[in-house]
Amino acid sequence: MKVVLQHLTKKFPSRSKKGEEVVAVSDFTFEIPDGKLIGLLGPSGCGKSTTLNLICGLEAPTSGHIFFGEDNVTRLPPENRGVGLVFQNYALYPHLTVRQNILFPLQNLKGSEKLSKQVMLEKAEEAARLVQIEKLMDRKPSELSGGQQQRVAIARALVKMPRVLLLDEPLSNLDARLRLQTREEIRRIQRETGITTIFVTHDQEEAMSISDLIVVMKEGVVHQIGKPQEVYDEPCNLFVAKFLGTPPINVFSGEVRGGVLYIGEDGVLNVKGVSDRKVYVGVRPEGFVLEAAGPLSCALQAVEVMGRDRSVVSTHPAAVSEAIRAIIPSEEEIGIGSDSVRFALKPAKVHLFDAASEERIPFEV
Amino acid sequence: MMKKNWKAWLYLLPAIAFLGVFMVYPLVDVFVYSFEEGYNSASQTFWGTGLYNYSYVLHDPYFLQAVKNTFILVIITVPVSTGLALLISVGLNSIKPLRELYQTVFFLPYVTNTLAVGLVFMILFKKTAYSDGMINLLINFFGGQSVDFIEGPYWAKMLVMCIYTVWVVMPFKILILTSALASVPQSYYNAAKIDGTSKWRTFTRITLPMISPMIFYLVITGFIGAFKAYSDEVAIFGTNLNAAGMNTIVGYVYDMLYGDSGGYPSYASAAALILFAIVLTITVINLMISRKNVQY
Ligand SMILES: Nc1ncnc2c1ncn2[C@@H]1O[C@H](COP(=O)(O)OP(=O)(O)OP(=O)(O)O)[C@@H](O)[C@H]1O
Ligand SMILES: [Mg+2]
């Protein structure tokens, strides 16, 4: 089922008379292809949960439309939309067992949709098998680990075979290891069921690793939509560039003069087709190459060994961020003992942004 | 380890001493009196020991009437007041405008003096030289016969008593239940909404279980409170409850101690212990039921 959002806007009235209204989601237009996993990504308070609530019908949009396939569901109450929602805190009913929790949505069916007890139990078992919790069916939620609870929540959301599955930061309560494992699990379940899924997170790594498409939001406005790699390689503005990637992108203030990019006084790169102006230069950590005669000279601070790679921490007067972090494969030699390092830059890993608008400026080498 | 224990007891000593003097000692005393026949508190004498006091009390028609009254009161008012309080709390919880105002209104009886409330009930129910009371005016308006609620038939008096008791105990229950309802996380309701749960099913399968610990708390304390009813009866029917046929067990105990026919601490003690046994039994049964039904 494809999901179409047209100019979706949600404004919350202010509590006090004088205060301004909060624009939680602003003019969100996007067509989610059928059967894809979408990562909705953005910093806290950017309107991710609100977007999900609009799609599932817990909130009504101020303006705009939502379509599931060809059906306009904008004014439909949540129960008629056929969505499954996994809450940030799971919202498992604490007084019911896992089985009863999963059965709950089925028992709500009325009229011609009503199922026999036997069928309901079978469907619950099937959903439980999908998320691998068959052995926990008679426990109460309080007797489960965070990861198990999360799976129960997914099973409950899946048991009615919803047209759209929505997950609101489902991994935020899990520890790092479980998080990794569970996100793969979500990916697998999504592939197996083929249900169009929207996955909210503020962790860019999480979104990048499992999504078919990611949507980057900030303050209610969608900044970029695209395949994770595309968005990473071609961020449309400085915010998106900074938001994606660990360690984060290194930002310098620089200038383009006569087709050459200058960071401080170092001319570091030929950039064809860019008129002279002040720019922000974003360099991915993997975009630095150690070179004895490299154009960019930085004051060396520390070298951190991370196993496969080393992270070279240095400073530069023109850098916007405190420290510059470069990731260098372990094999390459670093002139230890010297207090400065020189880098050359990989053009594909360098992004230019207009100093005023912060929009990306495309360039050719 | 030993030293720590010793210190803990030392800290507890004031409380233990206090409880010992003012709670345990009187309790033991009551227990002893109830077996001493004809105990006289002035002369500190008695003429025998045995079960005579219990036998006397259990054959006293006034006591039996008091037991009957108390049980009727308990059986009617506890479920009715809890049910009504639940209904009102759910209503309060689902309205937005003026909620605070309504909550205050419903809480007023709690902070109102029993006797003042009694006065209001007099105006509602009592026959005077000038009128038959508000309720009777209503009954007359709909073509019914006046009923003497205060000095008339037993059922009428019992009805007034039950309405009064329900009215007095409800505010506290509403207070507890509204806060219990408000503390059920919204996300459960959102989850239920998305699953297409009907209002009624949401209430019975989610709301009720979530607040069931509070409901059981209210039922248990409600039973205990209703078994100890006395002052409310006095507020409506005056101090001579035996004559009105509206005495309660606590009222009987009081009468045996200080009433016109009083001066019998042995009988009073026996009656008090019988009441204690009844309350204990009911509370244990209540706890056993709640153990089974409050599951988390
Ligand atoms: N019911 C509401 N009334 C008023 N403002 C609201 C309401 N719900 C959300 N907001 C505001 O809308 C904005 C977006 O909120 P939302 O919950 O969608 O953020 P989010 O992206 O999910 O953040 P997080 O990652 O912290 O969960 C916030 O500024 C928030 O304060
Ligand atoms: Mg959120």
Side-chain angles (χ1 to χ4, degrees):
Chain A
M1 184 70 46
K2 74 176 180 190
V3 176
V4 183
L5 310 178
Q6 281 180 357
H7 305 290
L8 206 56
T9 300
K10 177 69 187 180
K11 294 176 185 164
F12 289 108
S14 68
R15 286 246 178 264
S16 62
K17 284 241 162 63
K18 276 187 205 147
E20 278 180 37
E21 56 186 7
V22 181
V23 184
V25 179
S26 161
D27 199 27
F28 192 161
T29 299
F30 181 36
E31 183 173 326
I32 301 169
D34 183 25
K36 295 287 186 205
L37 179 63
I38 306 299
L40 197 54
L41 182 62
S44 186
C46 71
K48 305 180 295 285
S49 298
T50 308
T51 307
L52 278 204
N53 287 345
L54 290 173
I55 295 174
C56 72
L58 286 175
E59 301 270 8
T62 313
S63 62
H65 296 280
I66 304 165
F67 294 86
F68 286 1
E70 302 306 318
D71 310 341
N72 187 340
V73 298
T74 316
R75 300 276 158 229
L76 227 51
E79 63 266 27
N80 297 342
R81 293 194 183 192
V83 292
L85 177 57
V86 176
F87 289 82
Q88 199 158 346
N89 56 3
Y90 312 144
L92 297 174
Y93 307 124
H95 54 288
L96 302 181
T97 63
V98 169
R99 179 177 285 107
Q100 289 168 327
N101 262 288
I102 301 176
L103 281 173
F104 199 87
L106 297 176
Q107 290 162 340
N108 287 330
L109 296 173
K110 284 189 281 268
S112 59
E113 291 180 314
K114 211 171 158 104
L115 302 170
S116 74
K117 223 173 180 154
Q118 191 55 40
V119 176
M120 285 200 269
L121 282 173
E122 273 166 26
K123 286 201 175 223
E125 283 299 330
E126 196 182 306
R129 230 185 341 268
L130 194 63
V131 296
Q132 301 172 347
I133 49 164
E134 312 95 300
K135 295 206 181 69
L136 309 172
M137 293 297 263
D138 293 311
R139 294 213 202 159
K140 292 270 171 65
S142 58
E143 298 158 357
L144 301 178
S145 74
Q148 291 167 334
Q149 287 183 29
Q150 194 246 2
R151 290 185 213 192
V152 177
I154 294 180
R156 187 178 65 180
L158 280 176
V159 71
K160 273 209 289 192
M161 278 299 143
R163 303 198 279 180
V164 179
L165 179 63
L166 308 168
L167 303 141
D168 192 353
E169 305 205 24
L171 309 182
S172 53
N173 292 342
L174 308 185
D175 69 40
R177 186 178 290 270
L178 203 53
R179 214 176 245 243
L180 264 174
Q181 191 186 335
T182 322
R183 79 186 187 203
E184 296 308 321
E185 202 97 309
I186 290 174
R187 184 62 179 151
R188 175 184 63 78
I189 294 163
Q190 196 270 333
R191 285 248 169 81
E192 274 177 37
T193 56
I195 294 175
T196 309
T197 301
I198 303 173
F199 175 96
V200 164
T201 174
H202 57 245
D203 180 342
Q204 52 89 21
E205 205 183 322
E206 214 164 274
M208 303 261 292
S209 60
I210 63 169
S211 312
D212 293 312
L213 289 172
I214 59 174
V215 177
V216 185
M217 291 180 78
K218 183 191 175 191
E219 288 166 9
V221 180
V222 176
H223 279 242
Q224 194 167 5
I225 300 176
K227 294 209 175 87
Q229 196 62 48
E230 279 172 19
V231 178
Y232 182 79
D233 288 338
E234 289 166 28
C236 71
N237 59 31
L238 188 60
F239 165 73
V240 176
K242 275 185 181 164
F243 198 72
L244 296 186
T246 38
I249 197 164
N250 302 290
V251 182
F252 303 86
S253 48
E255 200 177 352
V256 176
R257 264 179 279 151
V260 178
L261 172 65
Y262 288 90
I263 294 177
E265 288 312 309
D266 307 327
V268 291
L269 213 60
N270 286 325
V271 287
K272 257 189 271 173
V274 181
S275 55
D276 292 5
R277 61 178 120 178
K278 291 219 178 288
V279 291
Y280 284 116
V281 186
V283 184
R284 293 281 178 208
E286 67 274 22
F288 294 94
V289 185
L290 277 178
E291 235 175 67
L296 186 65
S297 164
C298 300
L300 182 65
Q301 276 201 327
V303 178
E304 292 166 8
V305 181
M306 303 187 301
R308 189 165 43 83
D309 298 322
R310 275 174 305 178
S311 155
V312 178
V313 184
S314 56
T315 56
H316 189 280
V320 175
S321 40
E322 287 267 302
I324 302 158
R325 203 171 270 276
I327 305 286
I328 307 290
S330 292
E331 309 86 62
E332 286 178 33
E333 276 299 318
I334 302 176
I336 308 282
S338 64
D339 48 359
S340 78
V341 278
R342 297 192 79 88
F343 294 112
L345 302 181
K346 295 180 191 164
K349 295 293 180 186
V350 177
H351 306 296
L352 296 191
F353 304 95
D354 187 274
S357 69
E358 301 192 353
E359 294 294 315
R360 180 156 169 271
I361 310 163
F363 65 89
E364 292 166 41
V365 182
Chain B
M1 192 63 206
M2 277 307 286
K3 204 170 171 190
K4 256 191 196 154
N5 260 334
W6 179 83
K7 262 192 186 166
W9 284 111
L10 185 68
Y11 294 142
L12 282 173
L13 194 63
I16 290 176
F18 196 82
L19 285 176
V21 172
F22 291 101
M23 295 233 5
V24 180
Y25 172 68
L27 275 177
V28 171
D29 239 17
V30 166
F31 189 75
V32 171
Y33 293 160
S34 74
F35 293 100
E36 293 177 349
E37 285 161 26
Y39 172 78
N40 184 318
S41 54
S43 61
Q44 298 275 330
T45 55
F46 57 97
W47 62 67
T49 53
L51 291 173
Y52 173 75
N53 296 323
Y54 289 93
S55 153
Y56 175 87
V57 166
L58 287 172
H59 288 98
D60 185 350
Y62 283 136
F63 181 74
L64 296 179
Q65 181 66 38
V67 169
K68 181 182 159 196
N69 290 339
T70 307
F71 265 89
I72 292 178
L73 213 57
V74 166
I75 288 167
I76 293 181
T77 63
V78 173
V80 167
S81 65
T82 313
L84 271 179
L86 186 60
L87 218 68
I88 292 172
S89 310
V90 170
L92 277 176
N93 208 43
S94 59
I95 55 167
K96 279 254 164 62
L98 297 182
R99 182 193 290 180
E100 278 83 11
L101 178 70
Y102 290 122
Q103 264 169 349
T104 313
V105 168
F106 280 113
F107 198 61
L108 275 179
Y110 193 69
V111 291
T112 312
N113 186 293
T114 312
L115 297 176
V117 179
L119 200 68
V120 173
F121 269 70
M122 287 291 186
I123 294 169
L124 285 175
F125 289 102
K126 194 172 169 77
K127 259 185 166 168
T128 62
Y130 312 104
S131 91
D132 285 357
M134 288 253 291
I135 301 297
N136 271 326
L137 285 181
L138 271 177
I139 293 177
N140 292 341
F141 179 80
F142 287 106
Q145 282 282 315
S146 284
V147 180
D148 190 340
F149 285 103
I150 307 296
E151 281 154 8
Y154 179 70
W155 68 264
K157 288 191 278 192
M158 202 35 131
L159 182 72
V160 173
M161 204 54 246
C162 287
I163 293 176
Y164 182 93
T165 307
V166 167
W167 198 71
V168 168
V169 299
M170 226 160 45
F172 178 69
K173 301 193 175 189
I174 292 177
L175 182 78
I176 296 287
L177 288 177
T178 40
S179 58
L181 285 171
S183 66
V184 178
Q186 183 62 31
S187 59
Y188 294 128
Y189 294 123
N190 282 345
K193 217 189 275 175
I194 287 176
D195 292 338
T197 319
S198 65
K199 281 242 165 70
W200 177 246
R201 206 171 123 82
T202 307
F203 180 70
T204 54
R205 294 295 306 275
I206 298 171
T207 312
L208 270 189
M210 299 288 287
I211 62 170
S212 60
M214 274 304 149
I215 293 179
F216 273 101
Y217 164 76
L218 288 179
V219 168
I220 289 172
T221 54
F223 268 117
I224 295 172
F227 271 116
K228 297 200 305 196
Y230 173 53
S231 60
D232 298 344
E233 281 66 15
V234 173
I236 292 187
F237 300 107
T239 45
N240 199 346
L241 290 173
N242 276 338
M246 290 305 295
N247 212 350
T248 61
I249 303 179
V250 172
Y252 180 88
V253 172
Y254 182 87
D255 285 348
M256 275 299 169
L257 282 173
Y258 309 111
D260 294 338
S261 57
Y264 301 103
S266 299
Y267 297 153
S269 301
L273 277 175
I274 293 172
L275 174 62
F276 174 73
I278 295 173
V279 172
L280 187 69
T281 315
I282 302 265
T283 306
V284 167
I285 293 173
N286 264 326
L287 281 174
M288 268 162 29
I289 295 175
S290 76
R291 233 1 96 66
K292 248 190 203 156
N293 287 288
V294 181
Q295 304 111 319
Y296 71 97

